[in-house]
Amino acid sequence: MSTWTLAQRAHKMNPSVIREILKVTEKPGIISFAGGLPSPKTFPIEAFAQASERVLREDGAAALQYAASEGFAPLRELVAKSLPWDVDPAQVLITTGSQQGLDLVAKVLIDVGSRVLVETPTYLGALQAFAPMEPVVVSVHSDEQGVDLDHLAQQMGTGSDAARFLYVLPNFQNPTGRSMSEARRAALVERASALGLPLMEDNPYGDLWFDTPPPAPLTARNPEGCIYLGSFSKVLAPGLRLGYLVAPKSIFPKLLQAKQAADLHSPGYNQRMVVALMQNGFLDGHVPTIRSLYKSQCQAMLAALALEMAGLGVEWNAPDGGMFLWVRLPEGMDAVELLPKAVDKGVAFVPGAAFYAEQADPRTLRLCFVTASVAQIQTGIAALAQAIRALQAA
Amino acid sequence: MSTWTLAQRAHKMNPSVIREILKVTEKPGIISFAGGLPSPKTFPIEAFAQASERVLREDGAAALQYAASEGFAPLRELVAKSLPWDVDPAQVLITTGSQQGLDLVAKVLIDVGSRVLVETPTYLGALQAFAPMEPVVVSVHSDEQGVDLDHLAQQMGTGSDAARFLYVLPNFQNPTGRSMSEARRAALVERASALGLPLMEDNPYGDLWFDTPPPAPLTARNPEGCIYLGSFSKVLAPGLRLGYLVAPKSIFPKLLQAKQAADLHSPGYNQRMVVALMQNGFLDGHVPTIRSLYKSQCQAMLAALALEMAGLGVEWNAPDGGMFLWVRLPEGMDAVELLPKAVDKGVAFVPGAAFYAEQADPRTLRLCFVTASVAQIQTGIAALAQAIRALQAA
């Protein structure tokens, strides 16, 4: 009889609430606003087919061989050039999706019991990536622009309990869709620097703006005090599993060692396909088509909400980009209770409670506006309104 | 000023010795037996091109979308069917290379200070994958067949210090090329079970046998007491970064949660390419060509060693498969001292010391016989013999 003894950290790991919800919503006929899936209409299948053919023909043996843990040099250079501050390609680490960036950062910066600060609410995947390293995750109050700076200072901790970093998603945040203003960014970077607090800036959605690009990243304002995480999942396709991080040179070697131990390197074949697309300027024409599609989908959802939720006491925001908007149900209503009723009516969402490190607001829920069609959005929001009415009547 | 505080574990992480050596050996003209790179001649570039075209045409949107953390269901089924014991596809987790399997196992089974047993010597990448979780790695004496069972029992530890698992690579081991006999496997599984010791069986090379397939895996003999790691890197190509693990159902959910937190899922596009190749029986014809090539390369290296090392007091083994053989220098000679002299003569290898968790044998070194051509093997082994003579004369 073999005896399996789990590590302590394994008890802190939990299945994703969202995954469990997604399983429920896989029933045929359910309109799902629950996932965070980019619209498959935006996947450049033909361009990938050409890129794959070219990579295998011109560079097949190298694309299929073991490779450097740092990533494919031309991709690191293209990433460095694409960023709006002075980035040395030697600071760019290619990761297996930006989720892996979170895992590597957690390994390198979090001890058992380390204080880690997050927004209220925050990206669930980050909480999951940090959990195995057993931090104490502490929420900072946040408004429609992100973290409250005075509360940040209060939550910072002191001495050996000083926070290791603040994890922040300034552009079209997952889950809320909110963005930080220029003024808040400038003030946050200044305050964090004064506090000696490193920032972990996650920016998977920054390119998905509707009308105007967001203000400069936090990292551009203080590169030595920030780690920046980027992704190709939203501008090209998630199925390649490619992201990157940019780190100060003092931290980079440890992140690289963690990367090497984690999976040796990200697939060189996939990295070359992205390079093939970036080199011929494909992204410059492609990303605007995603922006335009997502803007029209967002507008359709806002219009449907205005129509269907009238008089119900439901509130929501109007994001300037990204994939999500954030809804608040009337006083006394709980989104977790609403969900099964909504699924009965044929529509799904994620209760906001999933995204809080502590003290969840039970009235909130997240809607993704990019996966469903406009017609589905109209039908689905009407069904959601029916479910809310049914719960109010109950 | 931001203050970066590294986690304790970051201080236990180190750059790979092999990586540093490989940098030295990237000088043009160096014949390298140092890397563990499959021969690029074996990469089925044309088959991949066809598979890519087919996957993107028939299933492009799904291949490029986010996907299940467990892996692509048809690939899990094909893996389960390919294994020589009764495996439920629900026990198969697709990983980003088998290196990620080691990372996930470490997260789920290793606490700070946990005892982990390894062979002498052992795979360096496993030591690196375990290191961030801060185990105490304890070596078990090993002979030409692998671990010594009486020493295993002595090193097992008791009570809360009982070893969490034994990491073992029974087929054509990296670094030594040695394999475990049928009798040793049976005895190891029986002894481990009696000790309550889980086994972590790593089998990246098992398909690369020269004349006869190796005996059944350890896991086939006690599936509830073993985690099995497999890889597509050696039978298809490392650049796809695809491997898998098979775990008892009691452990699987935690490994899956660790996988989800680590990188959400392995690239669905790559997984579908492998399925396309496996479904049409490509591997059945392809793998024998790799076996045949590697056998002839191994024979060339053995012949060159016999010719060039005559009278030098150098010993080596003759593996039955895989990619590596193991050399022992004469009494008093140190492979680390030999390396720069060998590089001067135009040939590189990895000193065996890199592969010992403790008490390294300084006389050992690893030679990879699959990357260099037969002509390079002859030239390189002659150069290595010259370097040994030069060091003896010094």
Side-chain angles (χ1 to χ4, degrees), chain A residues 239-261:
Chain A
L240 298 179
R241 306 307 303 124
L242 286 178
Y244 54 88
L245 64 79
V246 181
K249 288 183 181 175
S250 59
I251 306 293
F252 189 89
K254 286 295 167 193
L255 290 164
L256 174 60
Q257 289 157 26
K259 164 69 180 171
Q260 187 175 17

Side-chain angles (χ1 to χ4, degrees), chain B residues 69-323:
Chain B
S69 301
E70 292 90 339
F72 184 47
L75 183 56
R76 299 171 77 201
E77 284 162 24
L78 286 164
V79 166
K81 262 188 228 160
S82 75
L83 293 171
W85 72 98
D86 188 25
V87 178
D88 185 335
Q91 296 174 260
V92 177
L93 179 64
I94 305 299
T95 57
T96 307
S98 69
Q99 184 72 23
Q100 186 182 49
L102 298 168
D103 174 73
L104 302 179
V105 163
K107 279 176 175 154
V108 167
L109 293 180
I110 299 176
D111 282 307
V112 174
S114 291
R115 180 183 293 249
V116 165
L117 304 180
V118 298
E119 296 174 270
T120 306
T122 189
Y123 171 53
L124 176 62
L127 296 177
Q128 290 185 288
F130 301 157
M133 300 304 114
E134 304 177 79
V136 173
V137 177
V138 173
S139 293
V140 180
H141 294 165
S142 306
D143 59 23
E144 69 285 348
Q145 285 194 29
V147 288
D148 174 313
L149 299 186
D150 291 331
H151 197 236
L152 177 70
Q154 289 171 38
Q155 299 288 64
M156 170 72 198
T158 53
S160 65
D161 190 38
R164 293 293 168 95
F165 58 83
L166 166 68
Y167 171 73
V168 60
L169 215 160
N171 294 324
F172 324 126
Q173 195 224 23
N174 182 354
T176 60
R178 73 188 172 205
S179 293
M180 295 183 74
S181 67
E182 169 60 34
R184 182 71 62 92
R185 287 172 203 238
L188 171 58
V189 169
E190 189 185 339
R191 185 69 76 99
S193 183
L195 291 168
L197 175 67
L199 300 177
M200 197 67 45
E201 179 175 28
D202 195 2
N203 189 24
Y205 311 108
D207 283 317
L208 307 180
W209 45 269
F210 296 156
D211 296 310
T212 48
L218 306 173
T219 308
R221 300 156 199 264
N222 183 17
E224 289 304 307
C226 302
I227 293 175
Y228 180 90
L229 303 176
S231 175
F232 295 104
S233 292
K234 277 74 188 188
V235 293
L236 280 172
L240 298 180
R241 308 306 304 123
L242 286 178
Y244 54 88
L245 63 78
V246 181
K249 288 182 182 176
S250 59
I251 306 294
F252 189 89
K254 287 294 167 193
L255 291 164
L256 174 60
Q257 289 157 26
K259 165 68 180 172
Q260 188 176 17
D263 64 1
L264 299 183
H265 62 91
S266 296
Y269 171 61
N270 303 29
Q271 293 185 61
R272 279 171 177 79
M273 283 177 51
V274 172
V275 166
L277 291 187
M278 288 180 85
Q279 275 175 339
N280 71 11
F282 174 82
L283 278 180
D284 298 337
H286 180 61
V287 176
T289 68
I290 306 176
R291 285 177 197 140
S292 159
L293 175 67
Y294 286 8
K295 180 181 175 184
S296 68
Q297 301 254 147
C298 183
Q299 288 174 330
M301 188 171 277
L302 291 170
L305 285 165
L307 182 69
E308 303 292 347
M309 300 293 171
L312 288 177
V314 175
E315 297 166 2
W316 58 90
N317 63 352
D320 299 319
M323 298 170 45

Side-chain angles (χ1 to χ4, degrees), chain B residues 1-22:
Chain B
M1 262 302 292
S2 300
T3 307
W4 294 94
T5 302
L6 293 182
Q8 285 299 316
R9 80 179 62 77
H11 303 292
K12 312 245 173 117
M13 290 156 31
N14 287 298
S16 159
V17 181
I18 292 185
R19 277 184 70 85
E20 301 308 306
I21 290 170
L22 289 176

Side-chain angles (χ1 to χ4, degrees), chain A residues 26-316:
Chain A
E26 276 164 11
K27 289 199 302 190
I30 296 279
I31 294 171
S32 180
F33 306 134
L37 309 182
S39 170
K41 286 182 207 162
T42 69
F43 298 160
I45 296 177
E46 181 53 34
F48 276 129
Q50 289 173 23
S52 168
E53 196 274 332
R54 185 178 144 196
V55 164
L56 289 172
R57 190 182 64 236
E58 294 179 2
D59 200 20
L64 295 169
Q65 188 55 281
Y66 283 115
S69 301
E70 292 89 341
F72 184 45
L75 184 57
R76 299 171 77 201
E77 285 161 24
L78 286 164
V79 165
K81 263 189 228 159
S82 74
L83 293 170
W85 73 97
D86 188 25
V87 177
D88 185 334
Q91 296 173 259
V92 176
L93 180 63
I94 304 300
T95 57
T96 307
S98 69
Q99 183 73 23
Q100 187 182 49
L102 298 167
D103 174 73
L104 302 179
V105 162
K107 279 176 177 153
V108 167
L109 294 180
I110 299 176
D111 282 308
V112 174
S114 291
R115 180 183 292 249
V116 165
L117 303 180
V118 298
E119 297 174 271
T120 307
T122 189
Y123 171 53
L124 175 62
L127 296 177
Q128 289 185 290
F130 301 157
M133 299 304 115
E134 303 179 80
V136 174
V137 177
V138 173
S139 293
V140 180
H141 294 165
S142 306
D143 59 23
E144 70 285 350
Q145 284 195 29
V147 288
D148 174 312
L149 299 187
D150 291 331
H151 197 237
L152 178 70
Q154 289 171 38
Q155 299 287 64
M156 171 70 198
T158 54
S160 66
D161 189 37
R164 294 293 168 95
F165 58 83
L166 166 68
Y167 171 73
V168 60
L169 215 158
N171 294 325
F172 324 127
Q173 195 223 22
N174 183 354
T176 59
R178 72 188 172 206
S179 293
M180 294 183 75
S181 67
E182 169 60 35
R184 182 70 63 91
R185 286 171 204 240
L188 171 58
V189 170
E190 191 185 335
R191 185 69 77 98
S193 184
L195 291 167
L197 175 67
L199 299 177
M200 198 68 45
E201 180 175 26
D202 195 0
N203 189 24
Y205 310 108
D207 283 315
L208 306 180
W209 45 268
F210 296 156
D211 295 310
T212 48
L218 305 173
T219 308
R221 301 156 197 263
N222 182 19
E224 290 303 307
C226 301
I227 292 175
Y228 179 92
L229 303 176
S231 175
F232 294 104
S233 292
K234 277 75 189 188
V235 294
L236 279 171
L240 298 179
R241 306 307 303 124
L242 286 178
Y244 54 88
L245 64 79
V246 181
K249 288 183 181 175
S250 59
I251 306 293
F252 189 89
K254 286 295 167 193
L255 290 164
L256 174 60
Q257 289 157 26
K259 164 69 180 171
Q260 187 175 17
D263 65 2
L264 299 183
H265 63 92
S266 296
Y269 171 60
N270 303 32
Q271 293 184 63
R272 280 171 176 78
M273 283 176 53
V274 172
V275 166
L277 291 188
M278 289 180 85
Q279 275 175 340
N280 71 12
F282 174 81
L283 278 181
D284 299 336
H286 180 61
V287 176
T289 66
I290 306 176
R291 287 178 195 136
S292 160
L293 175 68
Y294 286 8
K295 181 181 174 183
S296 68
Q297 302 253 147
C298 183
Q299 287 174 329
M301 189 171 277
L302 290 171
L305 286 165
L307 181 69
E308 304 291 348
M309 300 293 170
L312 288 178
V314 176
E315 297 165 2
W316 58 90

Side-chain angles (χ1 to χ4, degrees), chain B residues 4 19 33 57 117 291 297 333-334 336 339:
Chain B
W4 294 94
R19 277 184 70 85
F33 305 135
R57 189 181 66 237
L117 304 180
R291 285 177 197 140
Q297 301 254 147
M333 197 171 282
D334 186 325
V336 172
L339 181 60

